[in-house]
Amino acid sequence: MPHSELLAVTTQQLASLPAWVRQRNQSATYPRAFMEAAIDSGASREQLLQAAGITPDQIDDPAGRLSLQDTWKLGAAALSLTGNGCLGFASGDRMPLTAHGNLGYALMCAGTPREAIAILERFWHLRGRGAQLMVGESEDRLFMELVLELSAPDALRDMLMSSMLTSMYRGIEFLIPQLPEQREIWVYGDEPAGFDRWRALLPTVRFGMPQAGISLAGDIALLDQPLPTANPEALTLALAQCE
């Protein structure tokens, strides 16, 4: 599907989705990252917001709330106006742990990476509406899979997934400075044009995969090492906010 048609198709699909996708109860952090990445690729801020039906006040308010529909429409507008299939990687790279509010703070204050992953899995729905996180572990491998709960055009799906996975990977890098040697990001779609500039900035990215997620293979005992940022008191407060 040409990127120029993506916004119209996305808007049509959103109209058939449940009413909760239009509830403005999600952080504006993520659509703001889409907007900023698109502006860096030459898009006009005014055109982006107009196409998505979002006001400047809504996107600029640090405590602003937008709906999943707003987020998807802004993502589709960003792809339509730039034609840049790497926007997902660019937007996810802008979102460190601190971008995820109380959940991000809880992850930083956890005792070990394993505890942080359990917290992320437990409270994922607070920040990752529209997608499910499933964590699987074997003797020498951890796989954190994302599954989109709602139907989206392939180009938008790939942008959403690559954005979430890149942000997750940046968080993992922070929590586990010495990661297992074999680390990969898996995505569904084909490699987009212009990905070469991201190749050296990310772990191995495997395109055309049957699953989307992050694979860590090797010595996963690293997950049980104490985190330098562990803070039990602050963790209790952050978890109370998540609850």
Side-chain angles (χ1 to χ4, degrees):
M1 177 193 304
H3 283 157
S4 59
E5 300 175 10
L6 182 60
L7 181 58
V9 173
T10 299
T11 301
Q12 184 178 10
Q13 285 192 226
L14 283 164
S16 65
L17 295 180
W20 66 262
V21 305
R22 289 174 281 282
Q23 295 174 358
R24 286 189 163 146
N25 55 10
Q26 297 296 292
S27 169
T29 298
Y30 309 125
R32 190 182 302 120
F34 294 162
M35 179 186 72
E36 291 171 353
I39 290 172
D40 283 351
S41 289
S44 157
R45 170 187 161 97
E46 291 72 22
Q47 281 184 298
L48 283 165
L49 295 180
Q50 183 178 16
I54 297 172
T55 67
D57 288 345
Q58 288 172 322
I59 200 77
D60 292 337
D61 182 358
R65 289 291 181 264
L66 295 172
S67 66
L68 186 69
Q69 173 174 275
D70 295 326
T71 300
W72 282 24
K73 288 183 70 174
L74 188 54
L79 286 169
S80 296
L81 292 172
T82 66
N84 182 356
C86 292
L87 282 181
F89 300 105
S91 60
D93 198 51
R94 294 171 178 269
M95 293 186 284
L97 282 175
T98 51
H100 307 299
N102 287 308
L103 177 54
Y105 190 51
L107 300 179
M108 294 172 65
C109 295
T112 65
R114 187 182 301 281
E115 184 181 16
I117 290 169
I119 292 169
L120 179 62
E121 194 172 16
R122 177 182 174 191
F123 291 109
W124 171 264
H125 63 283
L126 297 180
R127 309 290 290 197
R129 292 296 296 274
Q132 287 186 333
L133 170 65
M134 295 177 288
V135 180
E137 183 179 339
S138 63
E139 183 177 345
D140 61 352
R141 182 171 180 254
L142 181 81
F143 191 72
M144 304 173 67
E145 180 180 7
L146 288 184
V147 178
L148 206 61
E149 296 178 286
L150 304 168
S151 177
D154 288 353
L156 179 60
R157 175 205 65 190
D158 293 339
M159 176 186 175
L160 295 169
M161 288 297 190
S162 59
S163 181
M164 287 186 280
L165 291 170
T166 300
S167 179
M168 284 172 60
Y169 183 77
R170 291 297 181 231
I172 291 170
E173 276 187 316
F174 179 86
L175 294 173
I176 318 173
Q178 290 188 313
L179 284 165
E181 184 176 346
Q182 297 178 22
R183 46 194 188 271
E184 299 175 340
I185 294 176
W186 292 15
V187 292
Y188 295 120
D190 296 331
E191 180 177 320
F195 181 73
D196 281 348
R197 66 159 295 205
W198 289 101
R199 208 177 302 279
L201 302 175
L202 293 170
T204 299
V205 179
R206 298 181 65 183
F207 295 94
M209 300 300 288
Q211 297 169 285
I214 294 175
S215 173
L216 302 177
D219 181 14
I220 59 172
L222 294 168
L223 299 178
D224 296 310
Q225 293 185 351
L227 285 176
T229 54
N231 185 322
E233 182 179 358
L235 175 61
T236 298
L237 294 173
L239 291 178
Q241 290 297 315
C242 290
E243 290 284 6

